[in-house]
Amino acid sequence: MPEVIVAGAGPTGIFLASELRLHGVDVVVLDKEPEQNTVIRALGLHSRSIEIMDQRGLGAQFAAAGPRYPLDGFFAGILRSAPELDTTHPYVLGIPQTETETLLTRRALELGVDIRRGTELTGLSQDDASVTAALADGSELRARYLVGCDGGHSIVRSLAGIGFPGEPSRREFLLGEVEFTAPPDEVAAVSSRVRETHRDFGAGPVDGGAFRVVVPADGVAEDRTVPPGLDELKQQLRSYAGTDFGAHSPRWISRFGDATRLAEAYRSGRVFLAGDAAHVHPPFGGQGLNLGLQDALNLGWKLAAAVNGWAPDELLDTYFTERHPVAADVLNTTRAQSELVSTEPGPQAVRKLLTELMEFDAVNRHLIGKITALDIRYDFGPGPDLVGRRQRDIPLGQGTLYDRMHTGRGVLLDRTGELLLEGWEDRVDSIAGAGLHPQVPSRLLRPDGHIVWLESEPDEGGGSSADSQADLVDALETWFGPASLPSMVQLAVLD
């Protein structure tokens, strides 16, 4: 019996499975499709997602798979130069979703993830100790937990009875890859002209001589399960561009809408949601796939901690309290961008004003921070601003911090070399002394790289080293559970 079932073999589900395997969790991934999806909806990784790949030792593979693009114009297409960002990856990595999925699947298989394609989940039930998944072939599969990463029409979410309130699609778009008889320079010139008034239109070359096309659809389809055809795509191209560019030989054509919905809960007993199963939103800013990967990073180590028996009582609940507000903010941001590309006078007036405001560095930085997910700060209660934020990569003698995070364990950055980890060495690695700036406070990082404890600055009236050790032990117990053996600090108290 596996310990965790993941429904959905897209990027979110596959990455979550790999995170679980890093901690020795036996995981099975189920997907109803017999083969990997060839539809390319997402086309890039933002800064925080690239950092995540670095943290798990996949940075070089992803860097080699796509070009780097500047972040200029990524908020509603408003052309402003991106500000300086607190990251070693201040760009978008132009990598198709299919390639992202391929790289993550390869990694998952290396780690021993059991991926079962052509296996459809049709029902589920749960008790206090396990979840049972009913499969389309009449068989059943039982596990301790189940995670639905099965997209916006999630069967897991429906079966778990989790509400999905929000707004249905008001507009739809056709997206596909087709070949054109028109020469590339003509396609580029026409597309540039059309985008002056319709920023939701695009046609650009992709590998193999085809073009990736996105164009508004003629209304919202009654049955979105029926894919659009070439004739419908050509009709909409003529409507917006005055030409269909001689479109022929489609590789694939799909449709997507601007629905905005957010799950009321991310958990029902032993069943969890991640990625599009938990939230759907307009595609502006390219945040959907990135948001799902970051859900998986947040949930993976916590679920593994529960399976392995050391999770503090409230740890699994922090998945919802941390990630739900992030998704709500993304929904708000993408909804705003959806309005800002409208050709109506009102949204255009707001767009003009926002374009002026983005001349201010603080405004520009704030909006780009939302797109890149670099501005996220989880609420861990009172404390320094850095607590709750992710730790950027830093050099550590030979190599970097992220080079030391490939195992998915917590990390203690100890500038003094005097802090103790007795009882938590099986969950947290210590990096002490060499390579750490002597004036930078020591800090404790969760496996997802977020700071949960920061040493008090001496010049701010910080206490003694004993006080720092005691505060560190409190943080370790909060996030990494009780010590496997009594720590030296605890023994000192007992003495």
Coordinates of all heavy atoms in Angstrom, one line a residue, residues 325-414:
P325 N -4.0 32.4 1.1 CA -3.9 33.9 0.8 C -3.1 34.2 -0.4 O -3.3 35.2 -1.1 CB -3.3 34.4 2.1 CG -3.6 33.4 3.2 CD -3.6 32.1 2.4
V326 N -2.0 33.4 -0.6 CA -1.2 33.6 -1.8 C -2.0 33.5 -3.1 O -2.0 34.3 -4.0 CB 0.0 32.7 -1.9 CG1 0.7 32.7 -3.2 CG2 0.9 33.0 -0.7
A327 N -2.8 32.4 -3.1 CA -3.7 32.2 -4.3 C -4.7 33.3 -4.5 O -5.0 33.7 -5.6 CB -4.4 30.8 -4.2
A328 N -5.3 33.7 -3.3 CA -6.3 34.8 -3.4 C -5.7 36.1 -4.0 O -6.3 36.8 -4.8 CB -6.8 35.1 -2.0
D329 N -4.4 36.3 -3.6 CA -3.7 37.5 -4.2 C -3.5 37.4 -5.7 O -3.6 38.3 -6.4 CB -2.4 37.8 -3.4 CG -1.8 39.1 -3.8 OD1 -2.4 40.1 -3.5 OD2 -0.7 39.1 -4.4
V330 N -3.1 36.2 -6.1 CA -2.8 35.9 -7.5 C -4.2 36.1 -8.3 O -4.2 36.7 -9.4 CB -2.3 34.5 -7.7 CG1 -2.3 34.1 -9.2 CG2 -0.8 34.4 -7.2
L331 N -5.3 35.6 -7.7 CA -6.5 35.7 -8.4 C -6.9 37.2 -8.6 O -7.4 37.6 -9.6 CB -7.6 35.0 -7.6 CG -8.0 33.6 -8.1 CD1 -6.8 32.6 -8.0 CD2 -9.2 33.0 -7.3
N332 N -6.6 38.0 -7.5 CA -6.9 39.4 -7.6 C -6.1 40.1 -8.6 O -6.5 40.9 -9.4 CB -6.7 40.0 -6.2 CG -7.1 41.5 -6.2 OD1 -8.3 41.8 -6.3 ND2 -6.2 42.4 -6.0
T333 N -4.8 39.7 -8.7 CA -3.8 40.4 -9.6 C -4.2 40.0 -11.0 O -4.1 40.9 -11.9 CB -2.4 39.9 -9.2 OG1 -2.1 40.3 -7.9 CG2 -1.4 40.6 -10.2
T334 N -4.5 38.7 -11.3 CA -4.8 38.3 -12.7 C -6.1 38.9 -13.1 O -6.3 39.2 -14.3 CB -4.7 36.8 -12.8 OG1 -5.6 36.2 -11.8 CG2 -3.4 36.2 -12.6
R335 N -7.1 39.0 -12.2 CA -8.3 39.6 -12.6 C -8.1 41.1 -13.0 O -8.7 41.6 -13.9 CB -9.3 39.5 -11.4 CG -10.7 40.1 -11.7 CD -11.6 40.1 -10.5 NE -12.0 38.8 -10.1 CZ -11.8 38.3 -8.9 NH1 -11.0 38.9 -8.1 NH2 -12.2 37.1 -8.6
A336 N -7.3 41.8 -12.2 CA -7.0 43.2 -12.5 C -6.3 43.3 -13.9 O -6.7 44.2 -14.7 CB -6.1 43.8 -11.4
Q337 N -5.3 42.4 -14.2 CA -4.7 42.5 -15.5 C -5.6 42.1 -16.6 O -5.5 42.7 -17.7 CB -3.5 41.5 -15.5 CG -2.4 41.8 -14.5 CD -1.3 40.8 -14.6 OE1 -0.4 40.8 -15.4 NE2 -1.3 39.9 -13.6
S338 N -6.6 41.3 -16.4 CA -7.6 40.9 -17.4 C -8.4 42.2 -17.7 O -8.7 42.4 -18.9 CB -8.5 39.8 -16.9 OG -9.5 39.5 -17.8
E339 N -8.7 43.0 -16.7 CA -9.4 44.2 -17.0 C -8.6 45.2 -17.8 O -9.0 46.0 -18.6 CB -10.0 44.8 -15.7 CG -11.0 44.0 -15.0 CD -12.3 43.8 -15.8 OE1 -12.6 44.8 -16.5 OE2 -12.9 42.7 -15.8
L340 N -7.3 45.3 -17.4 CA -6.4 46.3 -18.0 C -6.1 46.0 -19.5 O -5.6 47.0 -20.1 CB -5.1 46.3 -17.2 CG -5.2 46.9 -15.8 CD1 -3.9 46.6 -15.0 CD2 -5.5 48.4 -15.8
V341 N -6.3 44.9 -20.0 CA -6.1 44.6 -21.4 C -7.4 44.9 -22.2 O -7.4 44.8 -23.5 CB -5.6 43.2 -21.7 CG1 -4.3 43.0 -21.0 CG2 -6.6 42.1 -21.3
S342 N -8.5 45.2 -21.5 CA -9.7 45.5 -22.2 C -9.5 46.8 -23.1 O -8.8 47.7 -22.8 CB -10.8 45.7 -21.2 OG -12.0 46.3 -21.8
T343 N -10.3 46.8 -24.2 CA -10.2 48.0 -25.1 C -11.3 49.1 -24.7 O -11.4 50.1 -25.3 CB -10.5 47.6 -26.5 OG1 -11.7 46.9 -26.6 CG2 -9.4 46.7 -27.0
E344 N -12.1 48.8 -23.6 CA -13.1 49.7 -23.2 C -12.4 51.0 -22.6 O -11.3 50.9 -22.0 CB -14.0 49.1 -22.2 CG -14.8 47.9 -22.7 CD -15.8 48.4 -23.8 OE1 -16.4 49.5 -23.6 OE2 -15.9 47.7 -24.8
P345 N -13.1 52.1 -22.7 CA -12.5 53.4 -22.3 C -12.2 53.4 -20.8 O -11.1 53.9 -20.4 CB -13.6 54.4 -22.6 CG -14.4 53.8 -23.7 CD -14.4 52.4 -23.4
G346 N -13.0 52.8 -19.9 CA -12.7 52.9 -18.5 C -11.5 52.1 -18.2 O -10.5 52.7 -17.5
P347 N -11.3 50.8 -18.5 CA -10.1 50.1 -18.2 C -8.9 50.8 -18.9 O -7.8 50.8 -18.3 CB -10.3 48.7 -18.8 CG -11.8 48.6 -18.7 CD -12.4 49.9 -19.0
Q348 N -9.0 51.4 -20.1 CA -7.9 52.0 -20.7 C -7.5 53.3 -19.9 O -6.3 53.6 -19.9 CB -8.3 52.4 -22.1 CG -8.3 51.3 -23.1 CD -6.9 50.6 -23.2 OE1 -5.9 51.3 -23.6 NE2 -6.8 49.3 -22.8
A349 N -8.4 54.0 -19.3 CA -8.0 55.1 -18.5 C -7.2 54.6 -17.2 O -6.2 55.3 -16.8 CB -9.3 55.9 -18.0
V350 N -7.7 53.5 -16.6 CA -7.0 53.0 -15.5 C -5.6 52.5 -15.9 O -4.6 52.7 -15.2 CB -7.8 51.8 -14.8 CG1 -7.0 51.2 -13.7 CG2 -9.1 52.3 -14.3
R351 N -5.5 51.9 -17.1 CA -4.2 51.4 -17.6 C -3.2 52.6 -17.8 O -2.1 52.5 -17.4 CB -4.4 50.7 -18.9 CG -3.1 50.1 -19.5 CD -3.4 49.5 -20.9 NE -2.1 48.9 -21.4 CZ -1.7 47.7 -21.1 NH1 -2.4 46.9 -20.4 NH2 -0.6 47.3 -21.6
K352 N -3.7 53.7 -18.3 CA -2.9 54.9 -18.5 C -2.4 55.4 -17.2 O -1.2 55.7 -17.1 CB -3.7 56.0 -19.3 CG -2.8 57.2 -19.5 CD -3.6 58.2 -20.3 CE -2.8 59.5 -20.6 NZ -3.5 60.5 -21.3
L353 N -3.2 55.4 -16.2 CA -2.8 55.9 -14.9 C -1.8 55.0 -14.2 O -0.8 55.4 -13.7 CB -4.0 56.0 -13.9 CG -3.7 56.4 -12.5 CD1 -3.1 57.8 -12.4 CD2 -5.0 56.4 -11.7
L354 N -2.0 53.7 -14.4 CA -1.1 52.7 -13.8 C 0.2 52.7 -14.5 O 1.3 52.6 -13.9 CB -1.7 51.3 -13.9 CG -0.9 50.2 -13.1 CD1 -0.9 50.5 -11.6 CD2 -1.6 48.8 -13.3
T355 N 0.2 53.0 -15.8 CA 1.5 53.1 -16.5 C 2.3 54.3 -16.0 O 3.5 54.2 -15.9 CB 1.2 53.4 -18.0 OG1 0.4 52.2 -18.5 CG2 2.4 53.5 -18.8
E356 N 1.6 55.4 -15.6 CA 2.4 56.5 -15.0 C 2.9 56.1 -13.7 O 4.0 56.5 -13.3 CB 1.4 57.7 -14.9 CG 1.0 58.3 -16.3 CD -0.1 59.3 -16.1 OE1 -0.4 59.7 -15.0 OE2 -0.6 59.8 -17.2
L357 N 2.1 55.4 -12.9 CA 2.5 55.1 -11.5 C 3.7 54.1 -11.5 O 4.5 54.2 -10.6 CB 1.3 54.4 -10.7 CG 0.2 55.4 -10.4 CD1 -1.0 54.6 -9.8 CD2 0.7 56.5 -9.4
M358 N 3.8 53.3 -12.5 CA 4.9 52.3 -12.6 C 6.2 53.0 -12.9 O 7.2 52.3 -12.9 CB 4.6 51.2 -13.6 CG 3.5 50.2 -13.1 SD 3.2 48.9 -14.2 CE 4.7 47.9 -14.1
E359 N 6.2 54.3 -13.2 CA 7.5 55.0 -13.3 C 8.2 55.1 -11.9 O 9.4 55.2 -11.8 CB 7.2 56.4 -13.8 CG 6.8 56.5 -15.2 CD 7.9 56.3 -16.2 OE1 9.1 56.1 -15.8 OE2 7.7 56.3 -17.4
F360 N 7.4 55.0 -10.9 CA 7.9 55.0 -9.5 C 8.5 53.6 -9.2 O 7.8 52.6 -9.4 CB 6.9 55.3 -8.5 CG 6.4 56.8 -8.6 CD1 5.2 57.1 -9.3 CD2 7.1 57.8 -8.0 CE1 4.7 58.4 -9.4 CE2 6.7 59.1 -8.1 CZ 5.5 59.4 -8.8
D361 N 9.7 53.5 -8.8 CA 10.4 52.2 -8.6 C 9.6 51.4 -7.6 O 9.5 50.2 -7.7 CB 11.8 52.5 -8.1 CG 12.6 51.1 -8.0 OD1 12.9 50.5 -9.0 OD2 12.8 50.7 -6.8
A362 N 9.1 52.0 -6.5 CA 8.4 51.2 -5.5 C 7.2 50.5 -6.0 O 6.9 49.4 -5.7 CB 8.0 52.1 -4.3
V363 N 6.4 51.2 -6.9 CA 5.2 50.6 -7.5 C 5.6 49.5 -8.5 O 5.1 48.4 -8.5 CB 4.4 51.7 -8.2 CG1 3.2 51.1 -9.0 CG2 3.9 52.8 -7.3
N364 N 6.6 49.8 -9.3 CA 7.1 48.8 -10.3 C 7.6 47.5 -9.6 O 7.2 46.4 -9.9 CB 8.2 49.4 -11.1 CG 8.5 48.6 -12.3 OD1 7.8 47.7 -12.7 ND2 9.6 49.0 -13.0
R365 N 8.3 47.7 -8.5 CA 8.9 46.6 -7.7 C 7.8 45.8 -7.1 O 7.8 44.6 -7.1 CB 9.9 47.1 -6.7 CG 10.6 46.0 -5.9 CD 11.5 46.6 -4.9 NE 12.4 47.6 -5.5 CZ 13.5 47.3 -6.1 NH1 13.9 46.1 -6.2 NH2 14.3 48.3 -6.6
H366 N 6.8 46.5 -6.6 CA 5.7 45.8 -5.9 C 4.9 44.9 -6.9 O 4.6 43.8 -6.5 CB 4.7 46.9 -5.3 CG 3.5 46.3 -4.6 ND1 3.6 45.6 -3.4 CD2 2.2 46.3 -4.9 CE1 2.4 45.3 -3.0 NE2 1.5 45.7 -3.9
L367 N 4.6 45.4 -8.0 CA 3.8 44.7 -9.0 C 4.6 43.5 -9.6 O 4.1 42.4 -9.8 CB 3.3 45.6 -10.1 CG 2.3 46.7 -9.6 CD1 1.9 47.6 -10.8 CD2 1.0 46.0 -9.0
I368 N 5.9 43.7 -9.9 CA 6.7 42.7 -10.4 C 6.9 41.6 -9.4 O 7.0 40.4 -9.6 CB 8.0 43.2 -11.0 CG1 7.7 44.1 -12.2 CG2 8.9 42.0 -11.4 CD1 7.0 43.4 -13.4
G369 N 7.0 42.0 -8.1 CA 7.1 41.1 -7.0 C 6.0 40.1 -6.9 O 6.1 39.0 -6.6
K370 N 4.8 40.6 -7.2 CA 3.6 39.8 -7.3 C 3.7 38.7 -8.4 O 3.3 37.6 -8.2 CB 2.3 40.6 -7.4 CG 1.9 41.4 -6.2 CD 0.7 42.2 -6.5 CE 0.3 43.0 -5.3 NZ -0.2 42.1 -4.2
I371 N 4.2 39.2 -9.6 CA 4.3 38.2 -10.7 C 5.3 37.2 -10.4 O 5.1 36.0 -10.7 CB 4.7 39.0 -12.0 CG1 3.6 40.0 -12.4 CG2 5.0 38.1 -13.1 CD1 2.3 39.4 -12.8
T372 N 6.5 37.5 -9.9 CA 7.6 36.6 -9.7 C 7.4 35.7 -8.4 O 8.2 34.8 -8.3 CB 8.9 37.4 -9.6 OG1 8.8 38.3 -8.5 CG2 9.2 38.1 -10.9
A373 N 6.5 36.1 -7.5 CA 6.3 35.4 -6.2 C 7.5 35.6 -5.3 O 7.7 34.9 -4.3 CB 6.0 33.9 -6.4
L374 N 8.4 36.6 -5.6 CA 9.5 36.9 -4.7 C 9.1 37.7 -3.4 O 9.8 37.8 -2.5 CB 10.6 37.7 -5.4 CG 11.3 36.9 -6.6 CD1 12.2 37.9 -7.3 CD2 12.0 35.7 -6.1
D375 N 7.9 38.3 -3.5 CA 7.5 39.1 -2.4 C 6.7 38.4 -1.3 O 6.2 39.0 -0.3 CB 6.6 40.3 -2.9 CG 5.3 39.8 -3.4 OD1 5.1 38.6 -3.8 OD2 4.3 40.7 -3.5
I376 N 6.5 37.1 -1.4 CA 5.6 36.3 -0.5 C 6.3 36.3 0.9 O 7.4 36.0 1.1 CB 5.4 34.9 -1.0 CG1 4.6 34.9 -2.3 CG2 4.8 34.0 0.1 CD1 4.4 33.5 -2.9
R377 N 5.4 36.6 1.9 CA 5.9 36.5 3.3 C 4.7 35.8 4.0 O 3.6 36.3 4.2 CB 6.1 37.9 3.9 CG 6.5 37.8 5.4 CD 6.8 39.2 6.0 NE 7.4 39.1 7.3 CZ 6.6 39.2 8.4 NH1 5.3 39.4 8.3 NH2 7.2 39.1 9.6
Y378 N 5.0 34.6 4.5 CA 4.0 33.9 5.3 C 3.9 34.5 6.7 O 5.0 34.9 7.2 CB 4.4 32.4 5.4 CG 4.4 31.6 4.0 CD1 5.4 30.7 3.7 CD2 3.4 31.9 3.1 CE1 5.4 30.0 2.5 CE2 3.4 31.2 1.9 CZ 4.4 30.3 1.6 OH 4.5 29.6 0.4
D379 N 2.8 34.5 7.2 CA 2.5 35.1 8.5 C 2.8 34.1 9.6 O 2.0 33.2 9.9 CB 1.1 35.6 8.6 CG 0.8 36.3 9.9 OD1 1.7 36.6 10.7 OD2 -0.4 36.7 10.1
F380 N 4.0 34.2 10.2 CA 4.4 33.4 11.3 C 4.2 34.1 12.7 O 4.7 33.7 13.7 CB 5.8 33.0 11.2 CG 6.1 32.1 10.0 CD1 7.4 32.0 9.5 CD2 5.1 31.4 9.3 CE1 7.7 31.2 8.4 CE2 5.4 30.7 8.2 CZ 6.7 30.6 7.7
G381 N 3.5 35.2 12.7 CA 3.3 36.0 13.9 C 4.3 37.1 14.0 O 5.0 37.4 13.1
P382 N 4.3 37.8 15.2 CA 5.2 38.9 15.4 C 6.7 38.5 15.2 O 7.1 37.4 15.5 CB 4.9 39.3 16.8 CG 3.6 38.8 17.2 CD 3.5 37.5 16.4
G383 N 7.4 39.4 14.7 CA 8.9 39.1 14.5 C 9.4 40.0 13.4 O 8.7 40.8 12.7
P384 N 10.7 39.9 13.1 CA 11.4 40.7 12.1 C 10.7 40.4 10.7 O 10.2 39.4 10.5 CB 12.8 40.2 12.1 CG 13.0 39.5 13.4 CD 11.7 39.0 13.8
D385 N 10.8 41.4 9.8 CA 10.2 41.3 8.5 C 10.7 40.1 7.7 O 10.0 39.5 6.9 CB 10.5 42.6 7.7 CG 9.8 42.5 6.3 OD1 8.6 42.5 6.3 OD2 10.6 42.4 5.3
L386 N 12.0 39.7 7.9 CA 12.6 38.6 7.2 C 12.0 37.3 7.5 O 11.9 36.3 6.7 CB 14.1 38.5 7.4 CG 15.0 39.5 6.6 CD1 16.5 39.3 7.0 CD2 14.8 39.2 5.1
V387 N 11.4 37.1 8.7 CA 10.8 35.9 9.2 C 9.5 35.7 8.4 O 8.7 36.5 8.3 CB 10.6 35.9 10.7 CG1 9.8 34.6 11.0 CG2 11.9 35.9 11.4
G388 N 9.4 34.5 7.7 CA 8.3 34.3 6.8 C 8.6 34.4 5.4 O 7.9 33.9 4.5
R389 N 9.7 35.1 5.1 CA 10.1 35.3 3.7 C 11.1 34.2 3.2 O 11.7 33.5 4.1 CB 10.8 36.7 3.5 CG 9.9 37.8 3.7 CD 10.5 39.1 3.3 NE 9.7 40.3 3.6 CZ 8.6 40.7 2.8 NH1 8.3 40.0 1.7 NH2 7.9 41.7 3.2
R390 N 11.2 34.0 1.9 CA 12.1 33.0 1.5 C 13.6 33.5 1.5 O 13.8 34.7 1.3 CB 11.7 32.5 0.1 CG 12.6 32.9 -1.1 CD 12.2 34.3 -1.6 NE 13.1 34.6 -2.8 CZ 13.9 35.6 -2.9 NH1 14.0 36.5 -1.9 NH2 14.6 35.8 -4.0
Q391 N 14.5 32.6 1.7 CA 15.9 33.0 1.8 C 16.5 32.9 0.3 O 16.4 31.9 -0.3 CB 16.7 32.1 2.7 CG 18.2 32.2 2.6 CD 18.7 33.5 3.1 OE1 18.3 33.9 4.2 NE2 19.5 34.2 2.3
R392 N 17.0 34.0 -0.2 CA 17.6 34.0 -1.5 C 18.9 33.2 -1.5 O 19.4 32.9 -0.4 CB 17.9 35.4 -2.0 CG 19.0 36.1 -1.2 CD 19.6 37.3 -2.0 NE 20.3 36.8 -3.1 CZ 20.7 37.6 -4.2 NH1 20.3 38.9 -4.2 NH2 21.4 37.1 -5.2
D393 N 19.4 32.8 -2.6 CA 20.6 32.0 -2.7 C 21.8 32.9 -2.4 O 21.8 34.1 -2.7 CB 20.8 31.5 -4.1 CG 21.7 30.3 -4.2 OD1 22.1 29.8 -3.1 OD2 22.1 29.9 -5.3
I394 N 22.8 32.3 -1.7 CA 24.0 33.1 -1.3 C 25.2 32.2 -1.5 O 25.1 30.9 -1.4 CB 23.9 33.5 0.2 CG1 23.7 32.3 1.1 CG2 22.9 34.6 0.4 CD1 23.8 32.7 2.6
P395 N 26.3 32.8 -1.8 CA 27.6 31.9 -2.0 C 28.0 31.4 -0.6 O 27.9 32.0 0.4 CB 28.6 32.9 -2.5 CG 28.1 34.3 -2.1 CD 26.6 34.2 -2.1
L396 N 28.5 30.2 -0.7 CA 29.0 29.5 0.5 C 30.4 28.9 0.2 O 30.5 27.7 -0.1 CB 28.1 28.4 1.1 CG 26.7 28.9 1.6 CD1 25.9 27.7 2.0 CD2 26.9 29.8 2.8
G397 N 31.4 29.7 0.2 CA 32.7 29.1 -0.2 C 32.7 28.5 -1.6 O 32.4 29.2 -2.5
Q398 N 32.8 27.2 -1.7 CA 32.6 26.5 -3.0 C 31.2 26.1 -3.1 O 30.7 25.2 -2.4 CB 33.6 25.3 -3.0 CG 35.1 25.7 -3.1 CD 35.9 24.4 -3.3 OE1 35.4 23.3 -3.2 NE2 37.2 24.7 -3.5
G399 N 30.5 26.8 -4.0 CA 29.1 26.5 -4.2 C 28.2 27.5 -3.5 O 28.7 28.6 -3.1
T400 N 26.9 27.2 -3.4 CA 25.9 28.2 -2.9 C 25.0 27.5 -1.9 O 25.0 26.2 -1.7 CB 25.1 28.8 -4.0 OG1 24.2 27.7 -4.5 CG2 25.9 29.3 -5.2
L401 N 24.2 28.3 -1.2 CA 23.2 27.7 -0.3 C 22.3 26.7 -1.0 O 22.0 25.7 -0.4 CB 22.4 28.9 0.3 CG 21.2 28.5 1.1 CD1 21.6 27.6 2.3 CD2 20.4 29.7 1.6
Y402 N 21.8 27.1 -2.1 CA 20.8 26.2 -2.8 C 21.4 24.9 -3.2 O 20.7 23.9 -3.3 CB 20.2 26.9 -4.0 CG 19.2 28.0 -3.7 CD1 18.9 28.4 -2.4 CD2 18.6 28.7 -4.7 CE1 18.0 29.4 -2.1 CE2 17.6 29.7 -4.5 CZ 17.4 30.0 -3.1 OH 16.5 31.0 -2.9
D403 N 22.7 24.9 -3.4 CA 23.4 23.6 -3.7 C 23.3 22.7 -2.5 O 23.4 21.4 -2.6 CB 24.9 23.8 -4.0 CG 25.2 24.6 -5.3 OD1 24.3 24.5 -6.2 OD2 26.2 25.2 -5.4
R404 N 23.1 23.2 -1.3 CA 23.1 22.4 -0.1 C 21.7 22.1 0.3 O 21.4 21.5 1.4 CB 23.7 23.2 1.1 CG 25.2 23.7 0.8 CD 26.2 22.5 0.9 NE 26.3 22.1 2.3 CZ 27.1 22.6 3.2 NH1 27.9 23.6 2.9 NH2 27.1 22.1 4.4
M405 N 20.7 22.4 -0.5 CA 19.3 22.1 -0.2 C 18.6 21.1 -1.1 O 17.4 20.9 -1.1 CB 18.5 23.4 -0.3 CG 18.9 24.5 0.6 SD 17.9 26.0 0.5 CE 16.4 25.5 1.3
H406 N 19.4 20.3 -1.8 CA 18.9 19.3 -2.8 C 18.2 18.2 -2.1 O 17.3 17.6 -2.7 CB 20.0 18.8 -3.6 CG 20.7 19.8 -4.5 ND1 21.8 19.5 -5.3 CD2 20.4 21.1 -4.7 CE1 22.1 20.6 -6.0 NE2 21.3 21.6 -5.6
T407 N 18.4 17.9 -0.8 CA 17.8 16.8 -0.1 C 16.5 17.1 0.4 O 15.8 16.3 0.9 CB 18.7 16.3 1.0 OG1 18.9 17.4 1.9 CG2 20.1 15.8 0.5
G408 N 16.1 18.4 0.4 CA 14.8 18.8 0.9 C 14.7 18.9 2.4 O 13.6 18.8 3.0
R409 N 15.8 19.0 3.1 CA 15.8 19.1 4.6 C 15.8 20.5 5.0 O 16.1 21.4 4.2 CB 17.1 18.4 5.1 CG 17.0 16.9 5.0 CD 18.4 16.2 5.0 NE 19.2 16.6 6.2 CZ 19.2 15.9 7.3 NH1 18.5 14.8 7.5 NH2 20.0 16.2 8.3
G410 N 15.6 20.8 6.3 CA 15.8 22.1 6.8 C 17.2 22.5 6.9 O 18.1 21.6 6.8
V411 N 17.5 23.8 7.0 CA 18.9 24.3 7.1 C 19.1 25.3 8.2 O 18.3 26.2 8.3 CB 19.3 24.9 5.7 CG1 20.7 25.5 5.8 CG2 19.3 23.9 4.6
L412 N 20.1 25.1 9.0 CA 20.5 26.1 10.0 C 21.7 26.8 9.5 O 22.8 26.2 9.3 CB 20.7 25.5 11.3 CG 21.3 26.4 12.4 CD1 20.3 27.5 12.8 CD2 21.7 25.7 13.7
L413 N 21.6 28.1 9.2 CA 22.8 28.9 8.9 C 23.3 29.5 10.2 O 22.7 30.4 10.7 CB 22.4 30.0 7.9 CG 22.0 29.5 6.5 CD1 21.5 30.7 5.6 CD2 23.1 28.8 5.8
D414 N 24.5 29.1 10.6 CA 25.0 29.4 11.9 C 26.3 30.2 11.8 O 27.3 29.6 11.5 CB 25.2 28.1 12.7 CG 25.8 28.4 14.1 OD1 25.9 29.6 14.5 OD2 26.2 27.4 14.8

